[in-house]
Amino acid sequence: MKKRLSLTLACTLLATVAWAEVPGVAPESPVTFGGYVKYLATVKIPDSGSDTLDQLIHQRFNFEYHPTDEVSFVAGLRNRFFYGDSLDTFSFRERVGDDPGYWDLSKNWLDEEDLLANSTLDRLYVDWRPGAYQARVGRHRINWGMSTLWNPNDLFNVYSIFDFDYVERPGTDALLLARDLGFASRAELVWTFEDDWDHSSLAWRYQFNTLGYDIQLLAGKNGGDTVLGAGFSGSLFEAGVRGEVSHFDPHLDVLDGEKLKRVT
């Protein structure tokens, strides 16, 4: 493996606008709109080969509309402008424009020799919370991970820890049904939208707290695998401890031409 030096320069400009009255004087506005602009420059200096310089302008819009206390509509638009040597990398443009979700909400709308611009709707969902119940449908983040970096319980939104420029993390096109069961206790059922049953996921999670530890149990179907998992989070001798384990047992022999195998 070639060693290389990578230098990164980042600059962020944040802006949030909420059309609301003074708290306690008048009801808050149901509309919230905000976003930010970031500039990221990366220099890579390998032991052999050519040095590379990449520049990225990352701009984001976040929109929320709450017509009632129980209902909310959320949309998040991610705009990225790429300039630099990575544009010459094989399939880089295709990977930027690819949308792995059920709906194709990503578009390379400017594709020149030295410049690439992409827009992606990575949040687009309706949320309904009547009392202790919740129903959410659309593209949203379903975070089941409890550990910091290693997250085998995070069945729906796997991401790379090296993509540090993407703080919101990717979302999933899915239906979530949940019910709060008391202090630190909750049950969730998630079904992801896919073109066929073999690729879809249907999983259940139960969370509770005991002896000062947050515990979760999960089970279901994750693509071509049947999955069982558990996770915990708490403290031991005043030090935080977390852990997750998942067991994947294929119920299909082959999926998309790949032979499936049992993994824990």
Side-chain angles (χ1 to χ4, degrees):
M1 180 180 294
K2 298 179 180 178
K3 297 180 180 179
R4 66 187 183 188
L5 173 65
S6 180
L7 304 176
T8 302
L9 172 66
C11 179
T12 304
L13 175 64
L14 301 175
T16 301
V17 179
W19 289 278
E21 304 295 336
V22 178
V25 177
E28 290 189 355
S29 167
V31 177
T32 301
F33 181 77
Y36 60 77
V37 178
K38 295 196 297 184
Y39 170 75
L40 181 69
T42 303
V43 179
K44 298 178 183 177
I45 308 175
D47 286 346
S48 61
S50 302
D51 301 343
T52 62
L53 171 62
D54 289 302
Q55 301 180 71
L56 168 66
I57 296 177
H58 184 174
Q59 187 274 330
R60 185 175 185 86
F61 289 121
N62 294 313
F63 173 81
E64 294 187 19
Y65 174 53
H66 302 269
T68 70
D69 292 338
E70 297 180 348
V71 178
S72 60
F73 171 79
V74 176
L77 178 64
R78 185 187 189 203
N79 300 304
R80 290 176 294 166
F81 301 83
F82 299 87
Y83 177 83
D85 298 314
S86 290
L87 293 177
D88 297 328
T89 304
F90 175 73
S91 73
F92 177 84
R93 301 168 189 266
E94 288 76 11
R95 285 187 283 111
V96 169
D98 179 59
D99 190 329
Y102 181 74
W103 296 292
D104 187 358
L105 303 179
S106 179
K107 174 73 172 178
N108 289 346
W109 50 270
L110 178 62
D111 192 347
E112 303 292 343
E113 182 178 354
D114 56 354
L115 181 63
L116 177 68
N118 172 272
S119 293
T120 302
L121 274 167
D122 61 357
R123 298 291 188 274
L124 189 66
Y125 65 86
V126 176
D127 189 86
W128 180 42
R129 296 177 183 246
Y133 294 89
Q134 179 187 10
R136 177 179 291 183
V137 62
R139 176 165 296 184
H140 52 108
R141 177 150 183 80
I142 303 170
N143 183 16
W144 282 10
M146 300 185 74
S147 297
T148 305
L149 298 177
W150 181 69
N151 299 118
N153 283 180
D154 202 356
L155 305 179
F156 303 101
N157 294 132
V158 180
Y159 65 91
S160 171
I161 62 174
F162 300 105
D163 192 5
F164 57 87
D165 183 58
Y166 193 11
V167 295
E168 293 82 12
R169 303 304 185 189
T172 297
D173 298 338
L175 169 67
L176 179 145
L177 302 175
R179 188 180 190 276
D180 293 328
L181 302 173
F183 172 73
S185 181
R186 178 178 170 91
E188 294 182 351
L189 180 69
V190 173
W191 172 48
T192 62
F193 306 138
E194 299 289 349
D195 291 330
D196 57 70
W197 173 248
D198 289 343
H199 289 84
S200 69
S201 295
L202 179 65
W204 162 88
R205 177 175 74 156
Y206 173 56
Q207 296 175 293
F208 61 97
N209 181 277
T210 181
L211 301 176
Y213 281 81
D214 292 324
I215 309 292
Q216 69 178 21
L217 305 174
L218 56 93
K221 172 188 176 298
N222 185 228
D225 296 315
T226 299
V227 59
L228 294 173
F232 70 92
S233 175
S235 61
L236 182 65
F237 303 113
E238 299 184 357
V241 290
R242 302 178 181 219
E244 298 177 28
V245 62
S246 292
H247 175 74
F248 296 86
D249 192 5
H251 60 263
L252 297 174
D253 294 329
V254 177
L255 182 65
D256 293 335
E258 297 289 335
K259 186 176 181 180
L260 303 181
K261 62 180 180 180
R262 184 179 293 110
V263 176
T264 300

